[in-house]
């Protein structure tokens, strides 16, 4: 079935954003959902268990905490290991997720190549709370330049300052120089291929999985993870807020996210992320005081849509996108191969019904971006 998205007002708006804005994406767990299950009520369950353990010191509760955390860590490690080892098929969850990320990077990189402005940097920031390695593998499959914050050859060490690099090339005749397009992959909650070394705030960026499973000895009497456990990711407990603020690397990444949103003519596209993370939601709400920032949110479900509207109800520069099904194939009876499914983009509002609303998954966002790229291609360039 062919997918056609209305190319009216909003497609033009998105086109203008890629033409004249500092471009940022915020991708959450929903973008990897075919390969990695989302949190569900895990954080709430862990909070209850941690509270009980801090009072009782019951070994059975400690075991439950450890098991839940390891099941969560394993849900990210196992698919990522299979991804790196090519132990998947094109049609399973890992294969579909890899294909989605490849299509996503391909279309946004193509939009970046078409950008004519010499004033704005030719870069796109992809902020993500995911630990998995799908973005890196997709970028390498496409052989496009990307920056994961690491620098070095034999040993690559991470620093948030590396995301400020811009790369210029000389023409073959040396008559002029031009900026090479670049994609920053910024993992706000850490990455499975980070290795925390003994030196404080020293992170080695590896080409394999470095994150390990927890043991009961890694958990303190208050139920939280010991700092010397060397876990390179922020785990889904209330402690993640403390670790994000207190540990230098995570604090720097949060500050980088805030700084990029506070720049003039900035846009943030959000997919697969429900803003349930209080820390990131607070930073985003504060950044929205920047009148030059526009946030486009593509919520998956109707409940997500209405909740996000309540989170940002005082901010006029937040646009919560809704996709409606438009059944208009005409009077002619079409075969299944010829059938065209049409969608229309509009703005969501509080209290709207969910009639004809379509869930906006990562694939739908990619189709919208492809529509933008087609519009750019029709007109030559931006």
């Amino acid at each position: 079935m062919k997918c056609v998205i209305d190319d009216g007002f909003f497609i033009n708006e998105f086109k203008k954003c890629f033409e004249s804005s500092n471009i940022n994406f915020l991708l959450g767990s929903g973008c990897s959902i075919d390969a990695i299950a989302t949190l569900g009520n895990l954080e709430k369950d862990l909070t209850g268990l941690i509270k009980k353990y801090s009072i009782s010191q019951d070994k059975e509760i400690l075991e439950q905490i450890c098991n839940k955390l390891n099941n969560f860590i394993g849900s990210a490690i196992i698919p990522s290991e299979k991804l790196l080892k090519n132990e998947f098929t094109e049609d399973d969850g890992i294969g579909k997720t890899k294909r989605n990320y490849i299509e996503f990077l391909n279309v946004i990189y193509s939009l970046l190549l078409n950008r004519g402005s010499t004033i704005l940097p030719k870069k796109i920031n992809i902020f993500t709370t995911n630990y998995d390695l799908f973005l890196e593998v997709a970028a390498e499959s496409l052989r496009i330049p990307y920056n994961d914050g690491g620098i070095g050859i034999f040993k690559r060490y991470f620093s948030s300052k590396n995301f400020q690099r811009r790369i210029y090339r000389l023409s073959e005749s040396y008559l002029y120089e031009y900026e090479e397009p670049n994609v920053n992959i910024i993992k706000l909650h850490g990455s499975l291929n980070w290795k925390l070394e003994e030196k404080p705030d020293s992170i080695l960026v590896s080409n394999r999985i470095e994150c390990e499973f927890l043991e009961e000895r890694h958990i303190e009497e208050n139920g939280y993870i010991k700092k010397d456990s060397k876990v390179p990711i922020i785990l889904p407990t209330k402690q993640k807020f403390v670790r994000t603020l207190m540990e230098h690397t995570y604090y720097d990444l949060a500050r980088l996210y805030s700084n990029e949103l506070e720049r003039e003519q900035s846009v943030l596209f959000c997919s697969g992320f429900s803003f349930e993370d209080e820390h990131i939601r607070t930073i985003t709400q504060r950044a929205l005081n920047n009148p030059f920032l526009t946030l486009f949110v593509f919520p998956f479900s109707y409940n997500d849509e209405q909740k996000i509207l309540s989170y940002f109800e005082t901010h006029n520069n937040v646009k919560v996108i809704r996709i409606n099904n438009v059944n208009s194939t005409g009077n002619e009876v079409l075969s299944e191969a010829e059938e065209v499914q049409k969608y229309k983009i509009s703005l969501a509002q509080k209290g709207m019904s969910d009639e004809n609303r379509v869930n906006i998954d990562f694939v739908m966002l990619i189709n919208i971006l492809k529509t933008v790229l087609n519009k750019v291609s029709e007109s030559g360039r931006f």
Side-chain angles (χ1 to χ4, degrees):
M1 180 183 291
K2 185 179 178 182
C3 169
V4 175
I5 298 171
D6 179 76
D7 62 348
F9 175 79
F10 286 102
I11 296 299
N12 283 324
E13 283 295 297
F14 301 149
K15 177 176 176 287
K16 289 176 184 176
C17 289
F18 280 94
E19 177 184 7
S20 59
S21 298
N22 295 300
I23 307 161
N24 303 279
F25 282 86
L26 176 58
L27 305 183
S29 58
C31 297
S32 301
I33 196 169
D34 286 329
I36 302 171
T38 54
L39 283 178
N41 294 320
L42 179 60
E43 185 170 336
K44 183 179 178 181
D45 294 343
L46 281 170
T47 300
L49 288 171
I50 288 170
K51 186 176 180 180
K52 288 180 181 178
Y53 177 69
S54 65
I55 297 170
S56 67
Q57 299 297 295
D58 188 324
K59 292 294 184 182
E60 288 187 5
I61 297 177
L62 174 61
E63 185 179 352
Q64 290 179 51
I65 294 171
C66 204
N67 287 340
K68 281 185 176 292
L69 286 172
N70 281 331
N71 287 338
F72 171 74
I73 293 171
S75 70
I77 287 179
I78 294 169
S80 291
E81 283 184 333
K82 290 182 178 180
L83 177 69
L84 294 179
K85 295 176 181 177
N86 285 317
E87 295 176 351
F88 61 90
T89 67
E90 290 297 313
D91 296 323
D92 67 15
I94 297 171
K96 289 177 182 177
T97 303
K98 179 185 176 182
R99 185 166 62 249
N100 289 343
Y101 278 106
I102 287 175
E103 290 184 1
F104 168 72
L105 287 179
N106 189 38
V107 69
I108 66 170
Y109 190 72
S110 298
L111 286 165
L112 202 55
L113 285 173
N114 279 280
R115 194 172 195 170
S117 173
T118 57
I119 300 173
L120 293 169
K122 275 201 171 183
K123 72 169 184 179
I124 290 180
N125 294 319
I126 302 177
F127 294 96
T128 179
T129 54
N130 298 341
Y131 320 126
D132 62 61
L133 303 176
F134 281 100
L135 277 167
E136 293 91 335
V137 170
E140 298 208 356
S141 297
L142 292 168
R143 298 186 180 180
I144 63 173
Y146 74 97
N147 181 1
D148 63 358
I151 190 168
I153 301 295
F154 298 108
K155 284 191 174 183
R156 299 179 62 244
Y157 284 96
F158 177 87
S159 172
S160 61
K161 294 178 182 178
N162 292 330
F163 291 116
Q164 305 303 334
R165 286 182 294 165
R166 296 170 71 172
I167 301 172
Y168 291 85
R169 289 186 181 272
L170 288 171
S171 66
E172 291 186 6
S173 58
Y174 298 97
L175 294 177
Y176 63 91
E177 66 176 15
Y178 59 95
E179 184 179 359
E180 184 175 88
N182 187 50
V183 176
N184 284 334
I185 299 174
I186 305 167
K187 294 191 167 181
L188 295 170
H189 285 172
S191 183
L192 295 177
N193 67 328
W194 287 5
K195 183 178 181 180
L196 306 188
E197 298 197 325
E198 293 302 323
K199 183 181 177 182
D201 301 320
S202 180
I203 298 175
L204 181 69
V205 182
S206 178
N207 60 357
R208 62 188 182 91
I209 305 295
E210 294 288 352
C211 185
E212 298 179 349
F213 291 98
L214 292 169
E215 298 178 12
E216 292 180 8
R217 62 184 175 84
H218 292 135
I219 299 175
E220 297 178 334
E221 291 182 356
N222 62 7
Y224 290 129
I225 308 303
K226 293 180 180 178
K227 291 208 170 186
D228 62 2
S229 63
K230 303 298 181 186
V231 179
I233 58 177
I234 297 291
L235 294 168
T237 68
K238 293 298 182 183
Q239 187 185 16
K240 72 180 180 181
F241 181 74
V242 176
R243 290 190 74 195
T244 305
L245 288 178
M246 299 303 293
E247 293 188 15
H248 183 68
T249 300
Y250 299 121
Y251 174 77
D252 277 354
L253 290 174
R255 185 172 57 184
L256 175 64
Y257 174 68
S258 176
N259 289 345
E260 289 295 328
L261 298 188
E262 290 172 2
R263 298 176 64 187
E264 288 192 8
Q265 301 306 116
S266 291
V267 62
L268 175 64
F269 296 96
C270 176
S271 176
F273 189 76
S274 61
F275 284 98
E276 288 293 301
D277 187 303
E278 184 181 355
H279 185 214
I280 294 178
R281 184 172 74 241
T282 301
I283 295 173
T284 308
Q285 289 169 331
R286 186 168 60 244
L288 285 164
N289 291 323
N290 172 14
F292 301 104
L293 169 66
T294 302
L295 167 59
F296 290 102
V297 187
F298 298 82
F300 175 73
S301 69
Y302 174 75
N303 288 336
D304 291 336
E305 172 192 286
Q306 294 299 306
K307 189 176 291 185
I308 289 168
L309 284 167
S310 66
Y311 287 151
F312 299 108
E313 59 185 347
T314 61
H315 299 281
N316 294 327
N317 46 349
V318 177
K319 314 296 181 186
V320 181
I321 299 300
R322 169 177 279 227
I323 305 293
N324 288 325
N325 221 332
V326 180
N327 297 316
S328 56
T329 57
N331 296 324
E332 182 182 359
V333 178
L334 303 176
S335 69
E336 186 175 344
E338 297 173 315
E339 188 178 350
V340 175
Q341 181 60 64
K342 294 185 178 181
Y343 299 101
K344 186 174 179 62
I345 305 174
S346 62
L347 281 184
Q349 297 179 11
K350 289 193 74 174
M352 293 178 74
S353 74
D354 60 351
E355 185 178 1
N356 294 327
R357 185 192 180 280
V358 176
N359 288 337
I360 310 176
D361 58 11
F362 195 33
V363 173
M364 179 62 77
L365 172 65
I366 294 167
N367 284 329
I368 292 171
L369 294 173
K370 285 181 178 177
T371 305
V372 175
L373 180 60
N374 289 337
K375 196 168 187 67
V376 172
S377 300
E378 288 170 4
S379 58
R381 286 175 71 91
F382 284 118

